[in-house]
Amino acid sequence: MGGMTEMARLRTEESSSGDKLTGGGGRKMHYYVNENPPWYYAIVLGFQHYLTMFGATIAIPFILSDALGVTELKDKARLIQTIFFCSGLCTLLQGLFGLRLPVVQGGTFSFLAPAMAIANLPVFADAGWRPKLLEIQGAIMVAALFEVIMGATGLVGILLRFVGPLTIAPTITMIGVSLSEAAVLQSSGNPGIAFMVVVLLIVFSQSAWLGKIKLRVGNAELPVVHLFPVLLGILISWGVCAILTATDTLREGDAARTDGNLAVLKTVPWFYFPYPGQWGTPTVSVAGVFGMLAGVLAGMIESIGDYYAIARLADAPPPPKTAVNRGILFEGIGCIIAGAWGSGNGTTTYSENNGAVGLTRVASRTVVLSGACIMLLFGIIGKFGGIFATIPGPIVGGVYCVMFGMIVGVGISNLQYCDLKSARNLFVVGFSILMALVIPDYVDKNPKKFDTGVAELTQIITVLLSTNMAVAGIIACLLDNILPGTDEERGITALHGGGAGARAASEEEVAKTYNPIGIEAIYRVFPAFVRWCPFLPVPYHGKGDDTDKNGGLSISPTEPDTNDLSSKV
């Protein structure tokens, strides 16, 4: 009955609210950001968001544990639980108090390259994996303070003036390239199984006829195969490996056998609640922090692009500066949480889930918050992490091959904003990518040449020059800002003018979409603070009411400031 009532309401409101929400022409979404579907729809669609982010998230603890030398499967299971728990917690914070759009927060590959550089420092040559992880945790937490400051002070806009597609493209591209060794390592145990996984993922994600297979969920038809290619690929190949193991087709000791790690399920508890400091007290070094800043910066820039993308996909007003600043602020807080909890990673906005919003035409904030609660639940169930810790290495390697290739593709796609006929632009991109391969390789083979005599300074130089994405980003940014070129040629205008075609929105709709939970209490208690705070919106009191009865603040359509509701970064 609840579903029928809801559908009836949507049909009767289509002509009236549809014009208001979409600027005329009927409804573009099944559910808009501020609308709530029936609870059972919210749970099912929330679970879909969980499955959508699953593939990218599950890869991170596997890569990290291999880089650190984690051998105990129960420890890998705890890493898996922790990263999903932190993803759910950070998604809740972003949905309630941060950007407030239906964005999913999760681990990011941007932090893996600097994490590996930290793990390979000479000081950890004879250390176990825990000291390395504690050093990575401390580096993430301190480096994330930069993101917190950028959001809290509104410096994001200033930073973006110097960072364009020619900086973003090489930086993200080198994330995928630098991780290729992990794909080789995992796949080498049984290249045949890894190749099977690659073929399955390609077919499931790219096949046009499989894309026609749809499952009806509520009033939306979901292309299930295209939505869950990673999950389907893992499950099918895992099943094939189980059959080959049961029939002894795979020889004893083969990396693709499924019976080698089953003992971990007996040792992993049913329930485990991740908590801050579960691995010990994090340590901090200047070198680690400087290296991790590259990951923080890459994640932050990528997220800002995702903010405007999800606003367009959800048919929501373009995010005002205050919302962008607040989103970055809470992403920084999320990275601090992930570092403190010991996931070995940070958080960023997931583009995959933005795509799910566009496919399902369900932009309800409630759906994403439901998905966040599911992430928290599975982060607490110990057996869940234990099951996925037993996935054979060649299957993981096959997934890596496809996913790392996608990261490279995403990086290259940023060049669409630039003039690729420009010799200047081609030089910046090509030179920065080549140097990002040459310099880290040289540092790795000649470590003594960078010994300054000061241990801390030597570590800083070693970490920065060993991190491919940091080298690519620094060189590309310097060249792009030093060499003469117009904003149109560099792609700055196209990249940051993405909201030009967006529909107009009233101040009331912007306030309902982006105002964080509890903002009214802040208006009452700290009215003067709101006026200058770059991440809080000014009060909205309705049409025709331009005075603040609580603190004397007002909305003036002719007085733009940091809280200008129509401005963009």
Side-chain angles (χ1 to χ4, degrees):
M1 287 297 293
M4 293 297 292
T5 304
E6 180 68 9
M7 292 301 297
R9 183 188 67 80
L10 288 176
R11 293 190 189 98
T12 54
E13 289 182 357
E14 184 167 339
S15 58
S16 58
S17 64
D19 289 343
K20 183 182 85 169
L21 290 169
T22 66
R27 296 178 66 91
K28 295 181 180 178
M29 308 297 293
H30 296 302
Y31 292 96
Y32 287 85
V33 174
N34 296 302
E35 295 179 337
N36 300 317
W39 64 268
Y40 43 88
Y41 285 178
I43 292 175
V44 172
L45 292 168
F47 185 67
Q48 175 191 257
H49 273 290
Y50 164 76
L51 292 177
T52 302
M53 59 88 69
F54 173 86
T57 306
I58 196 69
I60 294 171
F62 279 107
I63 300 171
L64 186 65
S65 59
D66 288 337
L68 297 179
V70 180
T71 56
E72 292 287 337
L73 291 178
K74 62 181 181 180
D75 293 323
K76 289 186 180 182
R78 286 173 63 183
L79 277 173
I80 292 172
Q81 287 180 253
T82 302
I83 197 168
F84 277 105
F85 183 87
C86 292
S87 297
L89 182 58
C90 295
T91 300
L92 281 178
L93 291 175
Q94 192 72 272
L96 295 174
F97 308 107
L99 181 67
R100 298 276 286 154
L101 287 176
V103 294
V104 171
Q105 304 290 287
T108 169
F109 291 104
S110 302
F111 287 85
L112 286 177
M116 291 178 178
I118 292 173
N120 291 326
L121 284 172
V123 69
F124 294 120
D126 300 320
W129 64 268
R130 283 179 184 263
K132 298 176 184 178
L133 180 57
L134 293 174
E135 182 75 12
I136 292 170
Q137 286 183 241
I140 290 173
M141 293 171 68
V142 176
L145 292 175
F146 171 78
E147 191 168 12
V148 170
I149 293 171
M150 293 295 291
T153 60
L155 292 174
V156 174
I158 297 176
L159 172 69
L160 290 182
R161 296 175 188 173
F162 303 99
V163 178
L166 291 175
T167 299
I168 298 172
T171 302
I172 297 178
T173 297
M174 289 313 302
I175 294 173
V177 172
S178 64
L179 294 173
S180 59
E181 187 176 344
V184 174
L185 181 64
Q186 290 283 6
S187 301
S188 59
N190 191 317
I193 294 297
F195 179 73
M196 178 187 68
V197 176
V198 170
V199 172
L200 286 174
L201 292 183
I202 292 174
V203 172
F204 288 155
S205 62
Q206 305 301 324
S207 172
W209 65 270
L210 283 178
K212 297 177 181 179
I213 301 175
K214 297 182 179 181
L215 175 66
R216 190 166 190 84
V217 179
N219 56 345
E221 290 187 345
L222 310 182
V224 288
V225 177
H226 278 187
L227 282 180
F228 312 126
V230 175
L231 184 63
L232 291 172
I234 289 176
L235 293 177
I236 292 175
S237 55
W238 203 353
V240 171
C241 288
I243 294 172
L244 296 178
T245 300
T247 57
D248 282 330
T249 304
L250 296 173
R251 69 183 184 276
E252 195 70 28
D254 193 297
R257 287 184 69 95
T258 58
D259 57 358
N261 298 326
L262 293 179
V264 70
L265 293 178
K266 298 179 181 179
T267 61
V268 173
W270 270 104
F271 296 99
Y272 176 78
F273 195 90
Y275 59 91
Q278 61 180 322
W279 309 112
T281 304
T283 58
V284 179
S285 69
V286 178
V289 171
F290 271 85
M292 199 58 70
L293 274 174
V296 170
L297 187 60
M300 182 175 67
I301 294 171
E302 185 181 1
S303 290
I304 292 172
D306 285 331
Y307 293 170
Y308 290 102
I310 186 61
R312 291 194 296 271
L313 287 170
D315 196 40
K321 280 185 180 179
T322 53
V324 173
N325 292 337
R326 199 166 57 252
I328 294 300
L329 168 63
F330 274 88
E331 284 207 11
I333 294 173
C335 288
I336 294 175
I337 290 173
W341 257 256
S343 71
N345 205 259
T347 60
T348 190
T349 299
Y350 268 21
S351 303
E352 300 97 316
N353 292 83
N354 290 353
V357 169
L359 284 172
T360 61
R361 295 169 61 197
V362 175
S364 171
R365 188 186 297 117
T366 305
V367 167
V368 170
L369 295 179
S370 299
C373 293
I374 293 172
M375 295 175 212
L376 287 171
L377 177 63
F378 283 126
I380 296 173
I381 300 175
K383 295 296 183 184
F384 167 80
I387 289 173
F388 284 100
T390 63
I391 298 175
I395 294 178
V396 177
V399 174
Y400 287 174
C401 291
V402 176
M403 295 188 67
F404 298 163
M406 280 297 298
I407 294 173
V408 173
V410 169
I412 295 174
S413 70
N414 284 276
L415 296 176
Q416 65 182 299
Y417 301 108
C418 309
D419 180 5
L420 293 180
K421 297 178 182 178
S422 167
R424 169 200 182 276
N425 292 350
L426 295 178
F427 169 74
V428 171
V429 173
F431 183 75
S432 60
I433 289 178
L434 181 63
M435 288 299 101
L437 294 171
V438 171
I439 293 177
D441 186 54
Y442 182 80
V443 173
D444 182 57
K445 294 177 180 177
N446 304 274
K448 293 183 178 179
K449 292 189 176 183
F450 297 89
D451 188 354
T452 62
V454 180
E456 291 78 9
L457 181 59
T458 301
Q459 287 187 5
I460 292 174
I461 294 174
T462 302
V463 171
L464 284 177
L465 296 183
S466 300
T467 307
N468 308 74
M469 56 178 287
V471 175
I474 292 171
I475 292 178
C477 187
L478 287 175
L479 291 177
D480 190 30
N481 286 279
I482 292 174
L483 300 180
T486 65
D487 284 352
E488 289 78 11
E489 181 184 10
R490 297 168 58 198
I492 299 289
T493 302
L495 179 67
H496 300 319
R503 63 179 175 81
S506 66
E507 291 177 348
E508 178 184 11
E509 187 184 352
V510 173
K512 287 182 177 179
T513 302
Y514 292 103
N515 279 13
I517 296 293
I519 190 66
E520 294 297 333
I522 297 177
Y523 291 155
R524 290 193 298 269
V525 180
F526 304 106
F529 174 72
V530 178
R531 176 171 291 280
W532 62 267
C533 182
F535 61 86
L536 290 179
V538 294
Y540 175 78
H541 295 292
K543 191 173 182 180
D545 184 359
D546 59 358
T547 59
D548 182 4
K549 301 177 179 63
N550 297 315
L553 295 173
S554 63
I555 295 177
S556 173
T558 59
E559 183 185 355
D561 60 3
T562 58
N563 297 320
D564 179 10
L565 295 172
S566 62
S567 61
K568 298 176 287 296
V569 173

